[in-house]
Amino acid sequence: MTVVRESVLAVQGLRKTFGAVTAVDGISFEVRGGEIFTIIGPNGAGKTTTLEMIEGLQQPDAGEITILGMKWDRSRNAIKMRIGVQPQTSALFDLLTVEENLETFASFYDRKRQVEEILDYINLADHRGKRVKVLSGGQKQRLAIGLAMINDPDLIFLDEPTTGLDPQARRNIWDIVLKLRSLGKTTILTTHYMEEADKLSDRVCIVDQGRIVALDTPKALIGQLTREREIHLTFTEGDIPAAEAESIALGNPAVTRVKREGDHLIVWSIKPEETLYGLFGFTTERSIQVEQVSIREMSLEDVFIAYTGKEWRD
Amino acid sequence: MMRVNQWNQFKKLFGAHLKMMFRDKSVWFWSIFYPVLLLSVFIMIFGSSSDSFSAKLALVEPDKNAVSQQLLHSLQEIDVFEFQSENPVKREDAEQSLKDLEVDAIVILPESEGDGYIKLLLNKEKQNSSTSQAIASILNNLVLQGNMAGVKAEPGLSLQTDYISAGSEKLEYTDFLLTGLIALSIAQAGMFGMIDLVEMRRNGLLKRLIMTPASMGLFGLGGIVVRFILSGIQIVLLSLIGVLAFGAHLNINIGAFLIIFLVGTLSFAGIGFMIAAFSKSMESYFGMANLFSFIMMFISGIFFDVNALPEYIKPLAHFLPLTYFADGIRDGMVYGLGIMNDAFWLNVGMLLLWGVTTVLIGAKFYKWKEAR
């Protein structure tokens, strides 16, 4: 069988209002087979409403949703058979064991994976007999992802799978998500962590005030943001050499902005190599000692701030 | 294409409900241990002193005549009545005895054959006691019977039944309390048991299930079957303890009992569902369920008869579903009454009315997802 990179999910002109509030205001995108597609946005941007409409929990006021070539109003059950959802809240049978949860969910579907296989996959084989309520947060999240995989779905929704987890538990989840991609599954992910979006996503969709403000690969988003880089320099001999370096930097045509705080100089440049070459030429000539040099890379966080004008909060 | 096996799905969902119910320690405590504790405590406190109903009377016969003699004999045949003395006493002495609470009541026989009045004097302070009520009711039946005899009519079947159930059948408190507590524990299990709906909404499980192709009908059915199992356990356990440890008498009419059991279990689950629909949190659910349960516990004839309540509360007792459920359970378990009587249909009807109304209200207001 050949893998066709067809459209797994197509969303066209999605709109939803609650009273006077427009939660989703014309969102359109397409998700291709086998990719990890991440939706990020500030609280109240319309992420959850968008997801819930795609998952068939809410009826859109306008717009079309096509999942695996099917529509909710005509093929509700057929769509449910082929998607897997890990919701934000734990949503598990708390008094049932890990294995019993998986078996119960398995009974809902026509196509299913072996419980054994899932247990290995989410690394909970040793805890299969434990009741959910004694599991740690990370274990619960892994089980929730396991339940989303039990029907061997073609499209998986992971809604903030790592929120509230410690770094190790978060990395465990990342491994599972990347394994899903290696199986050729399509994943739609939301997250509060920019690092996560950057590491996992094939494409990132930034939503603000019910609209898509940017959609591309993380690399392209950062690349198209600006060429400007932030250079930090600290001088051993204090304020005077720093002030002299400041005036040199200001004379460089590639430099857009300079800021000095005592012996600490910050230079924004669209050609950081050229600017640094000029600055180090000056310091070498004058035998000025530079204690620290660094160039800050742009991240998705900067992309987020640039597009939404809002500070990112984890 | 493989089909989803509906039977297998039902088994899994039923199993999930069963485990959710019986792995929950609070279910064991509130639905099983607590009713047993109540039964034992109440029978130990009240059971022995009022094993069977009896009352002490003083007889006053102002003037011997045929009617008074006949009534005197009839009264002396009723074995729940004790008399201060074999022969009638003087009215003044009798009144003094009543004031001193040496007797429960005074019966003054008709002065002459044409008098037509039989007087019952009761202690004013105790006029609402169940003893006073029972004496009045027995005398009333006696008079009715006497009147029937007077007009040479055959006593009707209903009169006979009334007379027996009010007078000579052993109306033991143990039986009364046992059946009341069975009704109460099923009612409470229903009203408190719907907390799952609040919890499953809070943790998003309900929403999660809606996102699967699982049949919500089968899910609900699984829950209902498990409720019946719990109710069944409560009945068997309480009855066994009541009969074996406290000597309760059961006379069960299976048909009537099963119908009232089914309807009652469902109705109280319906009330629980309505409470769940109006509860945003577990705390508010328990608050409301406790309020309902507390009110019903004391005025629906669980621990003492509804007739012993003050007049102004009685209308409320006749409105609450537990009154009818307790009545129905008693009729079906102790009196062995079948389905061919008005009381049965009144009980079933009122429970159905409560069940249907609360389910409709619940369905209108229950939201399967948490409000944002």
Side-chain angles (χ1 to χ4, degrees):
Chain A
M1 206 177 98
T2 52
V3 177
V4 183
R5 294 275 152 154
E6 61 179 0
S7 159
V8 168
L9 168 68
V11 171
Q12 190 59 51
L14 217 50
R15 200 176 293 278
K16 179 86 183 175
T17 55
F18 298 102
V21 182
T22 302
V24 175
D25 190 10
I27 280 185
S28 305
F29 60 83
E30 206 167 307
V31 179
R32 294 184 286 265
E35 74 173 333
I36 298 177
F37 185 88
T38 303
I39 302 174
I40 57 176
N43 285 332
K47 267 181 312 183
T48 308
T49 309
T50 304
L51 267 188
E52 287 193 342
M53 286 191 285
I54 297 170
E55 291 163 356
L57 285 173
Q58 289 197 31
Q59 181 73 29
D61 293 342
E64 288 232 317
I65 298 164
T66 313
I67 298 177
L68 303 158
M70 297 178 281
K71 308 245 192 254
W72 277 110
D73 49 2
R74 264 168 285 147
S75 320
R76 184 156 280 270
N77 227 44
I79 293 176
K80 285 177 176 179
M81 285 284 179
R82 291 181 65 190
I83 63 170
V85 181
Q86 174 259 309
Q88 243 177 66
T89 47
S90 71
L92 305 163
F93 290 102
D94 287 343
L95 288 171
L96 266 54
T97 66
V98 169
E99 198 170 7
E100 287 164 348
N101 265 283
L102 286 164
E103 280 168 353
T104 304
F105 272 77
S107 75
F108 305 156
Y109 298 97
D110 49 13
R111 184 172 78 179
K112 51 197 125 193
R113 283 167 162 271
Q114 295 299 310
V115 167
E116 212 57 40
E117 201 184 344
I118 301 283
L119 282 171
D120 283 340
Y121 216 84
I122 55 177
N123 203 12
L124 283 177
D126 295 341
H127 303 286
R128 65 173 69 203
K130 277 194 186 162
R131 291 189 193 168
V132 167
K133 61 177 190 177
V134 302
L135 297 180
S136 71
Q139 289 168 335
K140 281 184 190 168
Q141 283 295 40
R142 264 142 60 202
L143 176 56
I145 295 174
L147 293 178
M149 294 167 61
I150 193 77
N151 57 331
D152 194 22
D154 299 307
L155 177 60
I156 298 185
F157 295 88
L158 304 179
D159 197 359
E160 299 188 8
T162 61
T163 298
L165 300 186
D166 62 62
Q168 183 56 46
R170 197 178 298 170
R171 234 157 276 139
N172 291 340
I173 303 267
W174 292 354
D175 288 343
I176 295 173
V177 176
L178 291 173
K179 262 193 270 179
L180 279 174
R181 180 168 57 185
S182 71
L183 289 176
K185 302 296 177 192
T186 310
T187 305
I188 294 182
L189 178 79
T190 68
T191 181
H192 259 149
Y193 303 107
M194 283 297 176
E195 188 197 358
E196 185 167 299
D198 198 6
K199 273 220 162 60
L200 299 179
S201 324
D202 292 306
R203 287 192 300 155
V204 175
C205 171
I206 301 177
V207 180
D208 191 31
Q209 291 175 341
R211 295 168 185 271
I212 294 177
V213 292
L215 198 179
D216 213 324
T217 63
K219 207 176 159 188
L221 282 175
I222 294 166
Q224 79 199 178
L225 181 64
T226 170
R227 297 261 176 91
E228 200 178 81
R229 290 290 177 272
E230 201 176 298
I231 304 165
H232 291 251
L233 294 157
T234 310
F235 295 90
T236 316
E237 285 129 12
D239 295 7
I240 297 156
E244 286 173 357
E246 186 181 4
S247 58
I248 296 295
L250 279 170
N252 187 318
V255 171
T256 52
R257 196 150 71 91
V258 177
K259 194 173 142 196
R260 186 174 67 85
E261 287 161 353
D263 62 352
H264 188 83
L265 186 68
I266 308 170
V267 180
W268 283 268
S269 165
I270 51 168
K271 290 177 181 167
E273 303 90 342
E274 195 189 296
T275 307
L276 277 171
Y277 185 79
L279 279 169
F280 283 127
F282 165 73
T283 54
T284 313
E285 191 184 295
R286 297 282 302 272
S287 307
I288 296 170
Q289 283 186 34
V290 178
E291 198 170 270
Q292 280 184 342
V293 187
S294 65
I295 302 178
R296 201 171 75 82
E297 281 303 314
M298 287 297 180
S299 71
L300 273 181
E301 219 165 307
D302 300 290
V303 177
F304 185 84
I305 295 163
Y307 279 107
T308 67
K310 294 182 178 87
E311 200 67 48
W312 181 257
R313 282 184 303 265
D314 265 0
Chain B
M1 196 178 102
M2 257 169 60
R3 293 297 309 274
V4 176
N5 183 333
Q6 295 283 317
W7 173 240
N8 182 52
Q9 187 180 132
F10 175 72
K11 274 194 302 185
K12 290 290 178 201
L13 287 171
F14 168 73
H17 275 294
L18 195 70
K19 286 164 189 160
M20 282 194 286
M21 170 90 75
F22 291 103
R23 283 178 184 175
D24 185 350
K25 289 190 189 74
S26 67
V27 168
W28 286 97
F29 183 81
W30 290 108
S31 298
I32 297 183
F33 175 71
Y34 180 69
V36 170
L37 187 78
L38 274 186
L39 178 71
S40 310
V41 167
F42 271 82
I43 290 181
M44 279 181 223
I45 296 174
F46 302 109
S48 55
S49 63
S50 52
D51 241 358
S52 65
F53 170 79
S54 72
K56 200 169 180 188
L57 302 182
L59 285 170
V60 177
E61 192 177 23
D63 192 19
K64 224 178 226 186
N65 58 62
V67 175
S68 68
Q69 279 295 306
Q70 194 202 332
L71 280 168
L72 190 62
H73 287 299
S74 305
L75 278 169
Q76 282 165 345
E77 273 167 28
I78 297 173
D79 55 10
V80 296
F81 285 158
E82 264 181 76
F83 298 96
Q84 200 184 15
S85 61
E86 271 303 304
N87 294 312
V89 293
K90 274 199 264 176
R91 183 166 175 162
E92 295 77 37
D93 297 344
E95 282 182 8
Q96 193 53 48
S97 305
L98 183 62
K99 278 180 201 157
D100 298 343
L101 298 176
E102 283 165 17
V103 295
D104 294 308
I106 304 170
V107 177
I108 302 173
L109 299 167
E111 263 177 65
S112 66
E113 284 174 38
D115 181 3
Y117 282 106
I118 173 167
K119 284 196 190 117
L120 176 67
L121 299 184
L122 295 163
N123 192 314
K124 195 161 181 121
E125 283 73 40
K126 295 179 81 179
Q127 65 179 347
N128 269 326
S129 78
S130 56
T131 308
S132 304
Q133 307 248 353
I135 296 170
S137 138
I138 294 169
L139 272 186
N140 212 10
N141 284 313
L142 191 73
V143 170
L144 265 173
Q145 211 179 33
N147 288 342
M148 289 284 192
V151 298
K152 301 255 170 7
E154 286 294 311
L157 186 62
S158 63
L159 179 66
Q160 197 76 25
T161 310
D162 271 357
Y163 175 72
I164 286 169
S165 68
S168 65
E169 178 158 286
K170 284 183 209 152
L171 227 179
E172 292 195 2
Y173 184 66
T174 308
D175 306 341
F176 180 87
L177 185 66
L178 171 66
T179 44
L181 279 176
I182 286 173
L184 178 67
S185 40
I186 293 174
Q188 288 193 328
M191 286 192 293
F192 285 94
M194 291 295 146
I195 187 68
D196 284 358
L197 286 179
V198 179
E199 176 57 15
M200 285 194 294
R201 177 179 51 199
R202 189 196 61 78
N203 75 8
L205 181 57
L206 219 53
K207 186 163 109 178
R208 176 73 183 89
L209 290 176
I210 289 169
M211 288 191 277
T212 72
S215 155
M216 294 313 282
L218 289 181
F219 184 70
L221 185 66
I224 289 168
V225 174
V226 170
R227 304 228 71 79
F228 280 120
I229 293 177
L230 179 68
S231 296
I233 292 174
Q234 292 175 320
I235 289 180
V236 171
L237 188 70
L238 286 171
S239 302
L240 280 179
I241 293 174
V243 171
L244 298 179
F246 300 109
H249 307 84
L250 296 182
N251 174 17
I252 300 172
N253 181 301
I254 286 292
F257 167 75
L258 277 183
I259 293 173
I260 204 85
F261 165 69
L262 286 176
V263 172
T265 303
L266 290 175
S267 289
F268 284 100
I271 295 171
F273 176 52
M274 184 182 75
I275 298 174
F278 289 110
S279 308
K280 291 218 159 51
S281 65
M282 313 250 294
E283 288 74 22
S284 65
Y285 181 92
F286 279 124
M288 277 194 267
N290 262 317
L291 184 70
F292 267 94
S293 142
F294 194 76
I295 292 173
M296 287 199 234
M297 188 189 273
F298 293 105
I299 62 178
S300 287
I302 302 301
F303 300 110
F304 42 82
D305 198 83
V306 171
N307 287 318
L309 290 171
E311 284 302 322
Y312 61 90
I313 293 187
K314 277 185 191 170
L316 182 58
H318 292 304
F319 168 71
L320 294 174
L322 187 56
T323 311
Y324 298 94
F325 190 42
D327 267 3
I329 289 281
R330 260 174 212 136
D331 286 349
M333 285 188 82
V334 177
Y335 297 121
L337 292 184
I339 61 170
M340 299 307 281
N341 63 79
D342 294 348
F344 175 80
W345 292 108
L346 174 68
N347 293 333
V348 168
M350 280 302 283
L351 287 172
L352 277 178
L353 193 65
W354 267 93
V356 170
T357 310
T358 51
V359 166
L360 288 179
I361 295 174
K364 180 157 171 53
F365 290 98
Y366 186 78
K367 299 276 180 292
W368 46 264
K369 64 179 269 197
E370 199 153 20
R372 275 187 294 134

